[in-house]
Amino acid sequence: MGIIVWKGKRMSENSLTQIGQISVNAADIPRAVAFYRDTLGMKFLFQASQMAFFDCNGIRLMISLPEKPEFNHPGSVIYYKVGDIKQVYEAFLERGVSFISEPHMVANMGSFDIWMAFFWDTEGNTLAITSDVPNGN
């Protein structure tokens, strides 16, 4: 078994290093599928029972009805990386996406700035688009 060094600490290969799937709660699967597939333009994979799956560059996004009442709550914010945040923002506005905030800079990283804009899906989950924007430094 190999060893991974992260932040100066030795970790085994059994450590978490990659996201394989993210689950997002939905109350209405057909409505959520239409939003993620048609409005956001995500690659629809398949639907099985009360779940729908999308591909996001190798990471599966599962939209599903909560399995039990204790799982029925808003999820974590998912940040989708985009090339041109202002262009995607405008395109999503035209498609009826409800934004919480306009694209704005959140951090200067020296040679680039990190920009974000937050929005809601049809199920009340908060999502975000983010982009690394060169700043000419």
Side-chain angles (χ1 to χ4, degrees), residues 13-130:
E13 289 178 351
N14 294 331
S15 298
L16 300 179
T17 60
Q18 183 178 5
I19 294 173
Q21 179 170 295
I22 296 171
S23 177
V24 173
N25 286 337
D28 184 321
I29 299 297
R31 178 180 65 198
V33 166
F35 179 79
Y36 282 85
R37 182 192 59 216
D38 304 335
T39 305
L40 300 184
M42 292 183 68
K43 181 180 177 186
F44 178 72
L45 294 173
F46 63 95
Q47 189 168 344
S49 184
Q50 298 299 314
M51 301 173 285
F53 295 85
F54 297 83
D55 176 62
C56 194
N57 199 25
I59 297 174
R60 255 189 334 267
L61 177 65
M62 177 180 79
I63 308 297
S64 66
L65 295 176
E67 208 172 310
K68 298 177 180 178
E70 58 265 29
F71 297 144
N72 191 9
H73 56 78
S76 300
V77 178
I78 300 173
Y79 295 78
Y80 295 96
K81 193 166 188 172
V82 299
D84 185 331
I85 194 166
K86 291 181 181 178
Q87 182 180 26
V88 173
Y89 172 77
E90 292 296 329
F92 281 6
L93 278 177
E94 289 178 15
R95 296 179 199 164
V97 173
S98 297
F99 275 87
I100 301 165
S101 66
E102 295 182 0
H104 58 282
M105 185 183 79
V106 295
N108 178 310
M109 304 305 292
S111 62
F112 66 94
D113 298 326
I114 298 173
W115 282 65
M116 292 183 187
F118 295 87
F119 61 99
W120 288 293
D121 73 1
T122 56
E123 307 307 302
N125 297 296
T126 300
L127 305 173
I129 51 176
T130 182

